[in-house]
Amino acid sequence: MKMDEFKVIENIIRITDDMDIPDDVVISNGDDCFGFNFSGTLITTTDTMVDGIHFLVEKFSPYDIGVKSALSNISDISAMGGIPLYALVSLIIPPFFELEFILDVYKGMKDVFSKYNIYIGGGNISRGRDFTITLMLIGKVEGKALTRSGAKPGDLIFVSGSIGDSSLGLEILLKKGKGPHLSEIESYLVSRHINPSPRVELAQSLVGVATSCIDISDGFIQDLEHILESSGVGAQVFLEKIPTSSEYSVYISREKTYNNLVEF
Amino acid sequence: MKMDEFKVIENIIRITDDMDIPDDVVISNGDDCFGFNFSGTLITTTDTMVDGIHFLVEKFSPYDIGVKSALSNISDISAMGGIPLYALVSLIIPPFFELEFILDVYKGMKDVFSKYNIYIGGGNISRGRDFTITLMLIGKVEGKALTRSGAKPGDLIFVSGSIGDSSLGLEILLKKGKGPHLSEIESYLVSRHINPSPRVELAQSLVGVATSCIDISDGFIQDLEHILESSGVGAQVFLEKIPTSSEYSVYISREKTYNNLVEF
C-alpha cells in the first residue's frame, strides 16, 4: 500500500476516537486483545466481504461498503434476538490503495456502529490482493436465543419488511451503478441493498415468543430452507401473501414490459 | 472453487465433530451466531494470515498453515495472561482449490485448538483470490489482564525461550522449503517458525506479578518498543544477555562463514 500500516491504524483510531467507551470495557484498542467484563449469554458472529465477490469497489462508494458490511453483521446478531455490543474489524488492503478510501469505509462502519451503540474494540490490518472486510460482532441475549432449529409443525411463518427489494437493488447496482442517473424507484431499491435494515428491536421482542428465527441474506426461500432443515419440518408458502414493496412491483412490471419490447 | 460451499462446510464440521462441547456453550456451530454463557473478564483478538504475505502455500504444508495460524492467535491471548476458550474461523478460498488442502489446514488448526481445550464455535467461508485465514479467539482473564501500558521505570525486562529462531526458520523456509533435505539444525529452526510456543501457562502465572507483557511477533526490539510507547518509558537492553539457542548460534556462524566464502 502507498501508506504504511501504522499510519493507517493511527488514522483509523482517530475516526473512532469520539466513540464512548462502555463502562464494561477493561482493555481498549491498541493492545494484544480487546477486553470487557460480562455476565450472561454472549453470542458472536463473523462475516467476510471480499471485493469482486460481495461488492465491487468500482460500483460501491467506500462509505457504502462500510455501511453494508456493518449492517449485515448486525443482522446476524439480531436474527438470534441479540443486542450487538462490540465489533472487531479486520481489513485486507491491496498495495497502492488510497488512505482516503480505507478511511471512508471505516467511517461508514463507524456511523452504523455508533447508531446501534456498538463499540469498535479492535481489529487487524493485513496486506493482500483483494480489499476484504472481516467483521466479528459480539452481542448478548437476554433470555433464550432464537435459533434456526426451534420450528414446529403448525407454526406460522412471518417475515418483516418487504421481500426482493435488495436483490433487485443489487441487479440495478451492477447494471447501472449508483448516482443521479437512477430513477427514484431504482435509487430506492439500490438503497435497500446497501442499507439493509437489521431488525434488532423487533427480534429482541420475539425472544420467548417465536420458536425460530433467521435473517434473510441468501433469499427468502433459501433461508427458510435453513430453518426447515435445522428444525426437521416442512413448510407451506403462499407466494401471493409474501409482502413486496410498491417499488418492487413497479420495477418488475416495467422491466418485464421493457424486456418484452426488446425481445419482440 | 471446485467443490460447493456447503460440501466444504459439511466436511469441515465432520473434522470438528469429535471435539467436546463445553458446558457453557448454548448455541453451537451451524446457526447465525455462536453462543455461550459467561461471567468475568473476556478478552478477544483477531488475526489474518494471507497467502503470499504471511505464508506461501507452495512452501508451507496445509497442515502447518493451520497450526501456525492457530498458535499465533493463542499467543495474543496468552500475552495478556489469558486462557483461550473459543475460536471462530473465517476462510477465503480461491477458485479451484482442492478440498483436501482446506481440510488439512483445518486439521492443523483443530489439533492445536484441541491441545489447548479451545472449542471451534463457528466461522465463515468466502470465495476470493488469495487463500486467507482470519481467526478470532475468545479467552478469559482471571485477575487483571497484562497490558502493554503498565511498564514502570526500574522494571526488569524478561523474555521466555530463545530469541531469533523463528526469524531464521522463516528465512530457511523461504530459501529451501521444508523437507528431509534440511539439516537437523535447519529443521529445528523451521519448526520454531511453524510451531511457535504460546506461553499460556507462564503468562497466566504472571497475572498480578508482571507490570506489562507482549508476545513477540514483529521481533524483540519492535515488540519491546510497543511496550515502551504504550507505557511512556525507555529501556536499556544488554544485547549479550538476550537468550539464543545453540542452533541459532551454530547456524549464524556457519552462514556467516559460508557468505564470506561466497563473497571473497
Side-chain angles (χ1 to χ4, degrees):
Chain A
M1 69 193 103
K2 270 183 188 167
M3 70 300 296
D4 76 36
E5 193 185 320
F6 293 105
K7 200 180 152 200
V8 177
I9 294 174
E10 199 183 284
N11 275 281
I12 282 178
I13 288 179
R14 211 169 295 150
I15 294 179
T16 56
D17 250 1
D18 61 339
M19 297 185 104
D20 288 332
I21 302 179
D23 291 341
D24 289 333
V25 169
V26 291
I27 303 149
S28 189
N29 248 314
D31 225 303
D32 288 306
C33 298
F34 162 66
F36 58 98
N37 292 325
F38 184 79
S39 185
T41 302
L42 269 181
I43 53 176
T44 177
T45 182
T46 181
D47 214 6
T48 296
M49 286 177 65
V50 184
D51 177 25
I53 308 284
H54 303 94
F55 58 85
L56 298 164
V57 288
E58 67 266 30
K59 297 277 186 184
F60 282 69
S61 78
Y63 185 88
D64 286 342
I65 292 172
V67 166
K68 188 169 169 53
S69 85
L71 288 171
S72 313
N73 274 271
I74 293 174
S75 186
D76 279 327
I77 293 283
S78 67
M80 310 215 75
I83 302 165
L85 298 172
Y86 305 113
L88 300 186
V89 181
S90 286
L91 301 179
I92 298 176
I93 303 174
F96 310 114
F97 237 55
E98 295 290 339
L99 178 60
E100 212 49 51
F101 186 98
I102 300 160
L103 297 183
D104 280 346
V105 172
Y106 224 87
K107 278 177 199 155
M109 283 193 288
K110 187 235 170 176
D111 285 353
V112 173
F113 286 146
S114 295
K115 192 178 148 195
Y116 289 90
N117 294 314
I118 298 166
Y119 181 71
I120 300 176
N124 189 74
I125 288 182
S126 301
R127 281 173 301 137
R129 282 191 297 171
D130 298 317
F131 182 67
T132 303
I133 306 174
T134 300
L135 287 183
M136 269 141 292
L137 227 60
I138 301 167
K140 64 175 173 179
V141 183
E142 288 166 354
K144 200 176 164 298
L146 301 168
T147 61
R148 299 179 176 188
S149 56
K152 288 177 185 58
D155 281 357
L156 295 173
I157 302 165
F158 293 86
V159 294
S160 67
S162 52
I163 303 291
D165 294 347
S166 168
S167 160
L168 279 189
L170 176 63
E171 204 180 296
I172 296 164
L173 201 55
L174 295 179
K175 218 187 288 175
K176 302 187 170 183
K178 209 185 143 186
H181 62 286
L182 295 184
S183 72
E184 206 175 307
I185 284 178
E186 288 171 333
S187 292
Y188 172 82
L189 295 169
V190 165
S191 84
R192 291 270 294 158
H193 181 73
I194 294 172
N195 284 285
S197 312
R199 311 292 175 176
V200 179
E201 286 174 19
L202 171 62
Q204 274 167 51
S205 68
L206 294 176
V207 171
V209 178
T211 55
S212 70
C213 189
I214 196 168
D215 70 326
I216 299 180
S217 53
D218 296 334
F220 169 67
I221 294 296
Q222 285 93 319
D223 286 311
L224 174 61
E225 272 173 6
H226 289 142
I227 288 189
L228 301 181
E229 274 168 31
S230 299
S231 301
V233 292
Q236 189 174 13
V237 176
F238 302 94
L239 287 175
E240 72 281 7
K241 288 196 176 177
I242 293 177
T244 51
S245 67
S246 59
E247 287 83 355
Y248 177 91
S249 313
V250 171
Y251 185 82
I252 285 283
S253 63
R254 273 193 200 156
E255 280 298 294
K256 241 187 209 158
T257 319
Y258 175 74
N259 283 337
N260 287 347
L261 283 175
V262 173
E263 272 176 47
F264 301 107
Chain B
M1 70 193 105
K2 271 184 189 167
M3 70 300 296
D4 77 36
E5 192 184 319
F6 293 105
K7 199 181 151 200
V8 177
I9 294 175
E10 199 183 284
N11 276 280
I12 282 178
I13 287 179
R14 210 168 297 150
I15 294 178
T16 56
D17 250 1
D18 63 338
M19 298 185 103
D20 288 332
I21 302 180
D23 292 340
D24 290 333
V25 169
V26 290
I27 304 149
S28 189
N29 248 315
D31 224 302
D32 287 306
C33 299
F34 163 66
F36 58 98
N37 292 325
F38 184 79
S39 186
T41 302
L42 269 182
I43 53 175
T44 177
T45 183
T46 180
D47 214 6
T48 296
M49 286 179 65
V50 185
D51 176 27
I53 308 283
H54 303 94
F55 59 85
L56 298 165
V57 287
E58 68 266 31
K59 297 277 186 185
F60 282 68
S61 77
Y63 186 89
D64 286 342
I65 292 173
V67 166
K68 188 168 168 53
S69 84
L71 288 171
S72 312
N73 273 270
I74 293 173
S75 187
D76 279 327
I77 294 283
S78 67
M80 311 217 73
I83 302 164
L85 299 172
Y86 306 112
L88 300 186
V89 180
S90 287
L91 300 180
I92 297 176
I93 302 174
F96 310 114
F97 237 53
E98 294 291 339
L99 178 60
E100 214 48 52
F101 185 97
I102 299 160
L103 297 183
D104 281 347
V105 171
Y106 224 86
K107 278 177 199 156
M109 283 195 287
K110 186 234 170 177
D111 286 351
V112 172
F113 287 146
S114 295
K115 193 179 149 196
Y116 288 91
N117 295 314
I118 298 167
Y119 180 72
I120 300 176
N124 189 73
I125 288 182
S126 301
R127 282 173 299 137
R129 283 191 296 171
D130 298 316
F131 182 67
T132 303
I133 306 173
T134 301
L135 287 183
M136 181 201 186
L137 227 61
I138 301 167
K140 63 176 173 179
V141 183
E142 288 167 353
K144 199 176 165 295
L146 300 167
T147 61
R148 299 179 175 189
S149 57
K152 290 177 184 57
D155 280 357
L156 295 173
I157 302 164
F158 293 87
V159 294
S160 67
S162 52
I163 303 290
D165 294 347
S166 167
S167 159
L168 279 188
L170 175 62
E171 205 179 297
I172 295 163
L173 201 55
L174 295 180
K175 219 187 286 175
K176 302 187 170 183
K178 210 185 143 185
H181 62 287
L182 296 183
S183 72
E184 206 175 310
I185 284 179
E186 288 170 332
S187 293
Y188 172 81
L189 295 169
V190 164
S191 83
R192 291 272 292 158
H193 180 74
I194 294 172
N195 284 285
S197 313
R199 310 294 175 175
V200 179
E201 286 174 18
L202 172 62
Q204 276 167 49
S205 68
L206 293 176
V207 172
V209 178
T211 55
S212 69
C213 189
I214 195 167
D215 70 328
I216 299 182
S217 52
D218 296 333
F220 170 67
I221 295 296
Q222 284 94 318
D223 285 313
L224 175 60
E225 271 173 7
H226 289 141
I227 288 189
L228 302 182
E229 275 168 30
S230 299
S231 301
V233 293
Q236 189 173 14
V237 176
F238 301 94
L239 287 176
E240 72 280 7
K241 288 197 174 175
I242 293 177
T244 51
S245 67
S246 60
E247 287 85 354
Y248 177 92
S249 315
V250 172
Y251 184 82
I252 285 283
S253 63
R254 272 194 201 155
E255 280 298 294
K256 240 187 210 157
T257 318
Y258 174 74
N259 283 336
N260 287 346
L261 284 175
V262 172
E263 272 177 46
F264 302 106

